[in-house]
Every structure is written in C-alpha cells, then in structure tokens.
Amino acid sequence: MSQPETILLEEISQLRADLDDANYRYYVLDEPKLTDADYDRKLQRLKQLESEYPEVVSPDSPTQRVGAAPAEGFPEVAHAIPMLSLDNAFSRDDITAFAERVAERLECEAGEIEFSCEPKLDGAAVSLVYEQGVLVSGATRGDGRTGEGITSNLRTLRSVPLKLMGDSIPALLEVRGEVIMRHAGFEALNDRAREEGSKVFANPRNAAAGSLRQLDPRITATRPLEFHAYQVARIDMMHLGDGALSNDAMTTHSQQMEKLKAWGFRASAELRTVNGPELVADYCERLGEKRDQLGYDIDGVVIKVNDLRQQRELGFVARAPRWAVAFKFPAQEEVTTLNDVEFQVGRTGAITPVARLAPVTVAGVTVSNATLHNADEITRLGVMIGDTVAIRRAGDVIPQVVRVDIEKRPAEAREIIFPDHCPVCGSDIERLAGEAVARCSGGLYCAAQRKEALKHFASRKALDVDGLGEKLIEQLVDLDWVKTPADLFHLSAEQLQELPRMGEKSSANLVNALDKAKHTTLARFIYALGIREVGEATAANLASHFGTLQTLQEADQTALEAVNDVGPIVAAHVHTFFRQPHNLETLKALLDAGITWQESEVTQGPTPLAGQTWVLTGTMDSMTRDEGKARLQALGAKVAGSVSKKTTCLVAGEAAGSKLTKAEQLGVEVIDEATFIERLAAWEQSE
C-alpha cells in the first residue's frame, strides 16, 4: 500500500476538522453549519481516503462513530474516583437544612455560600476518560465503584467528542454526565418498535440505558441519544508545556462547565449560580414549573457548592459528597389499578383503547384515564382488567400504561377483548396490512367520526368558527342536523334557538360566525378538511406549492411528493382523499355554501425567507398572530412556537414574555410590530 502524499494528508486532516466542527455545531450548539448533503459528501470522501490508506485511520476520526463489530460482553471498569450517589431533599426546609450543614462546616453564613444549580437529568450516568485530548474509554456508573466498559457504544454518540476542541487541552480529563433520550426521539423509537413488533421501552430512561448496553454498537448508533456533561471528575493540566492551564486555573464548578463547553461537550443551558438557600429553592420552583417544556425528562435539581476549594474542604461521607444534594420533584410514574377499558373512536376512525383507572396523582396531576394505544400494545403488555399497572405521565404526553405487575394479578382479572364492530355506529372495524391502528369503516356515517371531524373543521387553526364548541357539535350530530361540514352553513338562527341554552343573541352570533368563517385561506381550508397526516404546516406547503384547489386536486403522487416536507405516505393520503367520490361531494357542497379564499400564484423559485425560523409572541394591533404566521409561511419561513438557537428572528408584540427574554439571552434578532409590517410589505412586494 502506497503512502499518502502530503496533500492527501492535509485533505484528511481538513475533512476531519470540518466534520468534527459540524458535529459540534449540530449536536452541541444546535447551530448547524453544513447542509446534510455537504456533510455526507465530506464523510464519504474521508471514508474513501481512509479505505485507500488504512494506516492513517485513528480512533478519533469521525468515521469511527458508525460502530464496531458486536462484543461478546462488556469488561468491568474500576472507577478511579467512585461515582457516588447524592442525598435527597424534598422541600424548602430540606434545602435550608442542607445549606446550614454546609455553612456550619465552612464556618460561615448560609446566605454567603454560592451554589450551582442545574437539572437532574433522568437518564444513564456514564464516565468518559480522555488522554492527550483523545477519548480512550467510557463506562457506565454500575455500582458506583465498578462499571461496564462501553467505549464502542459511547463513541457512536455525536454529542460525545472523540477529540477535544480548542486550546489548553489537558493531559488527562475524566468527564461525567448523563446519556438521555428526548421525548420526541423516544416516541419515534417506540412507534418504530410497535410497527416492527419489537420491544417497546417503558420510558426514556430505560430506552437510554438499554441502548447503551447493546452488544452491537451499530444498534446504539441508530438510537437518538445525547450526552450531557455535568462534572469534571479528574483533570491534569500539568504535562503539556507552554500554554497549558494549571490544575488550579478553574476554581469553581461553573467555570469547569464553561470550559467543558469550549472543549466540545454539551452542558446544561439551565445551569445557574445563586447565593443562599432561598434563591436555591426559588430556582428549584422555577425549574419545576418549566419541567414539562424541556423536551426531556428530569427528576429534580442537583445543587452543588460552586467553589471547588470548599468542595474539597467539605469532603464526603460514606456514600455521598457533603457538598451536593439532589432536590427531587414528584414522580412522573405511579402504580394504580386498571378498572376497565373503553374504546374511543377518533376523527379518522382510529379505535383507541382507553384504560379507566383508580385515580392516582402523577407529577402533581390526578390521572384516571390512560391510553393503551392499540391491540398490539395490549398484547405486548399482557395487560388485563383488574391488573396493577404503572402509569407514566411526562410533559404534555397523554398518560399511558407502561408496565404490568403480573405477580399482583387478581384471580378475577379479565381479558381485554378488542371489538370487531365500532362501539358507536356498529360498522366493521378494519385493520390494514402494515398498520398497527384499527379503524371504524363507517366514515361520516359514524357519529363519533362526524363529531371529531366537525370539531377539527371548526377549530381555531382551521375555519375558526367562534362559538361552535364541542358540546354544541355533539348536540347537532345527535339531532342529525349536521352530517357533513357543509351542513353547518345551512343552519338558521331560528333552528338553533330550539337547542338548550341557545337564545336569540347566541344563535345569531353563531350564524354570523359561520358566515365570517366562509372567508378563509386555501391553507386553512386544506387543513380543515382533515386529510390524514396533513397538519397545519403541510397544508400551508400544499397551498403555497399548488396555488389553487383545482391544481392540488389534479396533482398525481409524483407532483405531491415534490412539495416541501411531503413524503410518499402523506402524498398517498392526499391523492386518495381527492379521488373519493364522497369527499368530492363534500368539497362541492362547501364551495356551494359560499366558502371562498383569495387564489394565489404558485411560487416560482426560492422564497425570501426559505430556511429561516421565526417566532411570534405578544399581542399585535394590526393583525392576529395566526395572520402573521400565515404571511411568514407564504414567504417560505418556518414559524415555531418556541425560541431556540436556530431562531432567525422574534417578532415581539405587546406584553411579550419569556420568549422575549430567551431571545435576548440567545442573541436572537428581535423586532417590533412596526418593523415586522415594513419587512412583510417589502418581501411581499418583491415576490
């Protein structure tokens, strides 16, 4: 094998640097620089060069993340410094007691002590060891003194740097942190598992731990895992000569965390330093309030004395440091009894089994119902009526049954029988090949589907019919006054007055609201139709791409797949919808009822805001936020509900709150309503 020329060695070095930087920006900073296509081209070129010159392959090359061959087992790894547990605190009084114990040992006042506070991530704790800036080993926590060597698996995580970035690289560094799986990744992983008939994980923590302990690292590489650093366990800066930091250069935990970020690690954006127990308790309270909005599981707050010298002075007890404590939030998983199962029918006919539970408080909320998803999930869980079950609730996720305690099953437990006929209309229940969900075949004949379809049609993001609430829709369907959405526009005020609690004024208001709703946008109309898999953003993309309803109706599968964010499955649903005679009849009836919108020209070429992400907050005088959102989407922008490092611009109306604060912290551009209107006018005029 010939030796690579100097120019090729330089190319290999540059490719590795570019890919390392791209991984850091994407997986740590959330600020992608390379496009996916550019990243793939660089990675393939590096693989090609390393294949031609295998002698240049190094353990820290980005190509080595793909996973090695399966291992027979994991070796034991003795931790140089034990990975100890933390004592717990559950109240403000507990936090105060901890601070006073610390103050007594340090011979100072509790209010003088600076504490570092950060989320207590609910995942799998691991340790990473770097020598001369290169990752050499990684291990699980294990029993705290001995863990399992899972280096090959940890190398597959793109948020784990294979080589430290920046300057002042230590001769030795041991970093500890948590491997987590975000809610979105967890749900997607379980959805795939259900489709494949494979193992479904009970919660993100179990999913993260199970993914790390795969004997085949190539499986780990497919899982949506993230490493978040939370501690420097060991560091030796002394052996690198000029320019190196001394071991004493960083005097606080918060300084160490900042340095870890500079070396390429992801650390908590929620980390704060505060003085005294009262401010620590306030931090815990605030984080508890935003717990459901983080997108990943936390079970508390880790509170540490920030000063490293004070940490050393405080020392340890047998199993825990004296300088840290874990404030624990209420559990998000509890045990209760499954009393019965009912079957609900959704807008698309999906039959969902719902567990009726003995009420139990989970994460501060009383839960009496939980989803069982579908027949496959019932089989997988092996659950029966009367069982003792574990219920999980995290964030806005619907509570779900995640585990069954078979040992506590009563003798009178009953099997859950999935129905063959719709519990509402009696139509056959169908389950198509390749789908986990069973559906009622009744369509709009089914009152349950009709009700849900009408609720969607009249919802705020669809036709936005003010005053047409759920209870009123249920009455209209039960009386058989409304069979399709078009029937809504033929209701009279006199007819509506026959309903309970519908007087002359409220009836007239509803008729006026229905008349107002006739004047809409093509994007809202498409969304209101309730086509499977077509959400608000997809409807906007379809409207922008095709311009008219007729063009959309005539589009074939290939034309539909050319729309941004529309894949084969969504394209098939849209294509099928516009080929069904009863749907075409409903469309004609709606148009005959007077629904109109302003037709638009199909956008040619790139739009002014393509690739940008905008956020709207506060109240605007000249338009609603929905109107502003629609105009931005028409210009090619993505409109998000929260601010992140990827946000291009925040439009701040009156009474802008936390989103404005976060935008300012992240350095995101902020504009007021007047500037927003000026820019919209300029962009729309240039279109």
Side-chain angles (χ1 to χ4, degrees), residues 176-198:
R176 290 174 179 173
E178 202 88 357
V179 173
I180 67 167
M181 189 177 291
R182 292 179 181 268
H183 295 157
F186 170 71
E187 294 298 334
L189 179 64
N190 269 354
D191 286 345
R192 289 197 301 271
R194 291 187 187 100
E195 292 172 3
E196 297 166 359
S198 56

Side-chain angles (χ1 to χ4, degrees), residues 342-354 356 373 418-419 421-429 437-453 455 474:
E342 296 179 4
F343 295 88
Q344 294 183 345
V345 185
R347 176 171 56 86
T348 62
I351 307 295
T352 303
V354 178
R356 302 304 185 192
H373 295 290
F418 214 88
H421 298 90
C422 175
V424 175
C425 71
S427 298
D428 289 344
I429 289 178
V437 177
R439 299 181 190 277
C440 166
S441 60
L444 288 178
Y445 168 74
C446 175
Q449 291 186 63
R450 208 184 316 163
K451 289 175 182 177
E452 294 303 318
K455 290 173 188 175
E474 288 173 1

